[in-house]
Amino acid sequence: MTVRVVAAVLAALALTAVSLPAVEHATDQRDAASVDAAVDHTADAVDALTRRGDPGDRVATAPRRTIRLDIPPDATLTVEPRPPRLVATTANGAATTRRLPVPVRVCGDRESLRGAVTLVYVETRGSPVVVALRGFIGEDGSKPAHACTPGPRSGVARLGLPV
């Protein structure tokens, strides 16, 4: 009887060891698909904003779209200014890149996009940009906490958005 129990335990351990790489591969594939979907969803939202209308001159009146980005905790979705593009990186180092029609600036103290993001299409001094604001912004979107600078701040002149 003891031999049967030991044999059953050894068989269970062997099956577990054999299945772990498959489970890990499936998890990686799921995470990669989730990141790819987030990149496509974000790029499509930016494309839709730029195709459907003119940029607004104020954050409160500018065209906007709120999206939900569900990406794995160890993945990142960032924007690069030149050329304007989205770059997503998973934990295993795989990267997905997609070009954008206009630059996207992330507002606030974060560098990556995650969770609920409101994209606002506004005109700045040089050209239109899409500003990624944190979370869903209801009402008229004119609360100062939601306003940000869509470009680098200079020491002499601050490039702010009218709220």
Side-chain angles (χ1 to χ4, degrees):
M1 175 107 155
T2 305
V3 173
R4 288 183 185 167
V5 171
V6 170
V9 169
L10 289 176
L13 288 174
L15 287 173
T16 302
V18 168
S19 67
L20 282 179
V23 170
E24 192 172 307
H25 177 71
T27 302
D28 289 345
Q29 293 293 87
R30 183 197 66 218
D31 290 350
S34 168
V35 168
D36 287 347
V39 169
D40 289 342
H41 188 54
T42 306
D44 291 345
V46 171
D47 287 341
L49 280 173
T50 59
R51 271 186 283 125
R52 291 192 180 142
D54 296 327
D57 59 343
R58 303 172 56 96
V59 172
T61 59
R64 67 187 62 232
R65 184 163 181 193
T66 300
I67 58 175
R68 176 86 188 155
L69 300 173
D70 294 318
I71 60 175
D74 51 357
T76 60
L77 177 59
T78 58
V79 292
E80 293 183 359
R82 293 181 192 186
R85 62 186 179 161
L86 290 168
V87 178
T89 309
T90 58
N92 65 1
T96 302
T97 304
R98 180 133 175 229
R99 291 193 64 135
L100 300 170
V102 296
V104 174
R105 306 283 186 251
V106 179
C107 183
D109 57 352
R110 61 189 177 145
E111 295 178 7
S112 63
L113 302 174
R114 180 177 302 278
V117 176
T118 298
L119 302 171
V120 181
Y121 187 40
V122 294
E123 181 71 39
T124 61
R125 288 186 190 166
S127 61
V129 298
V130 172
V131 180
L133 305 172
R134 181 176 325 183
F136 175 75
I137 300 172
E139 301 167 6
D140 61 0
S142 63
K143 292 179 177 57
H146 297 138
C148 70
T149 301
R153 293 179 183 246
S154 70
V156 178
R158 294 185 182 241
L159 301 172
L161 292 175
V163 181

